[in-house]
Amino acid sequence: MVILLTLVHILVCVFLVIVVLLQSGKAADLAGAFGGMGSQTAFGPRGSATLLSKATTLAAALFMITSLTLAVMASRSTAGPGGSVLDTHKPAQTAPAPTQTAPLPKSGTGNTVTIPLTPQGTPAPQGAPAQPAPAKPAPAQPAK
């Protein structure tokens, strides 16, 4: 069906080019070169529609119809049935990296830090290392 419609489209294109080239311009005579041909209208006096102008209108309408039909057929064949291009290219789902809690050496605080590990057991790469908070000075003991 697409091949038949493409052949009709090509024939309509060739026919449209020939019909347009066969027509003479609105101001093709000598009076049009010197500003004649009815100064009240924008493009000269309007004559009756000739056979060539009717053929041009018909060919232009067929050209638009075949162009739109071919475009719709092409978009349906590439997107698949009832979908879009975005539906066919979904990103792969990845599992989050497991985390393990590693206790820090006892330094009097008793805190633990969670360090994300890769599946091989090595620490996951992180951004810039965080700076520890400055230690607060112990409150001063009142003198006795």
Side-chain angles (χ1 to χ4, degrees):
M1 180 70 185
V2 175
I3 295 173
L4 176 68
L5 194 59
T6 304
L7 290 174
V8 170
H9 184 70
I10 291 171
L11 290 174
V12 168
C13 290
V14 171
F15 180 72
L16 183 62
V17 168
I18 290 170
V19 170
V20 167
L21 289 177
L22 284 177
Q23 292 183 24
S24 63
K26 295 283 182 190
D29 56 354
L30 187 60
F34 295 108
M37 302 261 317
S39 60
Q40 280 79 24
T41 60
F43 299 109
R46 182 152 180 106
S48 62
T50 63
L51 180 65
L52 283 176
S53 65
K54 290 180 183 178
T56 304
T57 304
L58 178 69
L62 285 174
F63 174 77
M64 289 180 209
I65 291 170
T66 56
S67 295
L68 287 173
T69 306
L70 284 171
V72 168
M73 289 177 133
S75 68
R76 285 188 182 171
S77 68
T78 58
S84 71
V85 175
L86 296 176
D87 292 337
T88 59
H89 296 292
K90 294 205 183 235
Q93 298 272 340
T94 59
T99 59
Q100 295 179 356
T101 303
L104 289 177
K106 296 285 182 183
S107 62
T109 60
N111 294 331
T112 59
V113 176
T114 302
I115 301 172
L117 299 176
T118 62
Q120 291 80 20
T122 59
Q126 298 286 325
Q131 297 294 328
K136 292 182 182 178
Q141 297 283 338
K144 291 186 187 181

